[in-house]
Amino acid sequence: MSIFKKLSMALLLTMMMAACSNMDSNLEKMIPADATGVVSMDVPQILKKAQMTDGGKIVLPQSLQQAIDENDATPMSVLLTDLPMMGIDTDSKAYAFFTVKTFGTVLLVALDDPDKARKTLSQRVGSDFANVEGLECIYNRDKLYAIDGKVLLVGKVNKQMEASRVARAARNILSKNSTSIMDNKEIKQLLHNDDAAINMWFQLKGLKALLNKSNVYRELSQRMPLIEIFTESDIDAVECHVDLDDDEVEMKTNIRAAQDSEYAQLLGKTMGKPDNQVLKAIPNSMDYIVTMCVKGEQFVQLEQIKQLLGMFGKLPYIGRIDMAQILATVDGPFTIGLARDPHLEGEWNVVLATRSSNPQGVIQQINNFANSMGQAPELYDGEYVYQYDNKMIRIGLNDEILYVKMLDYEQTEGYAYEMPQAREFFEDALLGMFAQTHNQDNTHGYFDFALTDFFNGEGHFTTDMPNANPTLELLRALCTFNGPKAYDNNEDSEDDEISSLMGGAIDKLQPLN
């Protein structure tokens, strides 16, 4: 190759890199300084790691297409179906940010072919782009789709309003009229971590807004509302980096809070010692396993817990249980396993396990309550057994671990302690969640996230498929999750929230006359 050709290729490559850098910078300037959260996504790296590019074009691997076909109505499946036809610039990053203004969430994507994006979105939404307030856009239900030059903006509004108002808000973002969050050098440096495929920064209120949009989080918080105690604090911000490694997807989180913050003091007073032995009482079939390691005596003294127990005490019949006395005996992990009931929609199979300082006293209190409701237990194989509705309720001890199982089947499967992924994870988890997905080909995906100390957390996604591509398998797993409904305020009554702790198994019991 001649020197001239080499120089020409080097110049072309330099120009292409400069163009991508300019587009990234252009999108970054659209993120307002008052955003409550920002996510930077390295599109080129993600596509490469997931083996989704061929000659500069986006392609869907066969295994991913299969997952999409099996879950064609989920948000991730819809996104991936449209992605190859969207005309996006595969050499530029994409950004999402969160606000409490007109838009709750805004996605900014660089386009290589705006006409393709326009056509694909029109077909998906079922409406044509129109000029509203000088902006080419579609406003459908709670979302605005706008194209300005080679930039696509997708915004989800916080509440329904007239199209002109939404379009003006989007046009203001695209025009870069506001001060950019990238003027904050610390946030800019965080988002420019090129080793990570995804970089995130959230104020606490931004993180709460994001979590509230997650069906998984909402389901867990409804059944274990104690989680929310730790989202109501004086944390300054949360930052997170996602690395796409060859054997796993790894997430590292740092919680920005002062050493003397209420958050740190709260955890210092109430957090107990991790102990994965509780997994010996949790069936390995649970979809989710959530743990919180607490010092029970201090835990029940928290004002938030007193309020929670006060609401519990107002519930008919079941409020007679002295829940404060039971929680005060907890010494270590308070762990809940949850799995959707395959027979009744909206119902769950639930298992609670903990290390108690007075397990026999707790069992006696539960038995006294059940007897008063006409449900005298049967003692079988060391367990107190109750039968009600479609659930078999078993209370017992396993190596000093107190457990309550509320299942609609006779357990024959093994326990989560036998799963290396779960056992290793819960060994050091102060507060954490473990989830598993079940694929059609009998393989499993495993998610976990935990705080290993008050300020740092780690999460992972792995799979038991031999020689699997973890990034690709993660996308397949995400295809199984449904998103929130439009304008869903996700609010439940206090009584519903407390009742959900009991898993629906004994909430219909009536006392003896």
Side-chain angles (χ1 to χ4, degrees), residues 258-326:
Q259 292 288 337
D260 60 350
S261 62
E262 291 182 3
Y263 163 78
Q265 293 180 42
L266 173 67
L267 267 63
K269 292 178 181 178
T270 60
M271 285 284 96
K273 183 180 179 181
D275 184 353
N276 60 12
Q277 298 297 305
V278 291
L279 298 180
K280 293 181 178 179
I282 304 289
N284 60 20
S285 59
M286 294 292 102
D287 296 328
Y288 310 114
I289 305 175
V290 182
T291 192
M292 181 184 297
C293 300
V294 299
K295 302 171 184 175
E297 292 184 357
Q298 289 88 349
F299 194 63
V300 296
Q301 297 304 316
L302 295 176
E303 193 60 38
Q304 301 97 322
I305 296 299
K306 290 180 180 179
Q307 294 175 8
L308 188 67
L309 293 172
M311 291 186 290
F312 181 88
K314 295 177 182 178
L315 294 175
Y317 314 132
I318 202 171
R320 298 176 184 178
I321 295 180
D322 190 346
M323 189 59 70
Q325 184 178 357
I326 291 176

Side-chain angles (χ1 to χ4, degrees), residues 216-287:
V216 172
Y217 174 79
R218 296 205 320 268
E219 289 171 348
L220 291 174
S221 63
Q222 287 169 5
R223 289 162 177 81
M224 194 176 178
L226 303 182
I227 294 174
E228 297 182 346
I229 293 172
F230 298 95
T231 62
E232 303 291 337
S233 65
D234 57 350
I235 291 173
D236 296 322
V238 176
E239 61 183 52
C240 179
H241 307 280
V242 178
D243 295 319
L244 305 179
D245 299 326
D246 293 336
D247 56 349
E248 67 176 2
V249 177
E250 182 180 28
M251 178 171 65
K252 295 183 179 179
T253 300
N254 177 252
I255 297 174
R256 295 295 184 92
Q259 292 288 337
D260 60 350
S261 62
E262 291 182 3
Y263 163 78
Q265 293 180 42
L266 173 67
L267 267 63
K269 292 178 181 178
T270 60
M271 285 284 96
K273 183 180 179 181
D275 184 353
N276 60 12
Q277 298 297 305
V278 291
L279 298 180
K280 293 181 178 179
I282 304 289
N284 60 20
S285 59
M286 294 292 102
D287 296 328

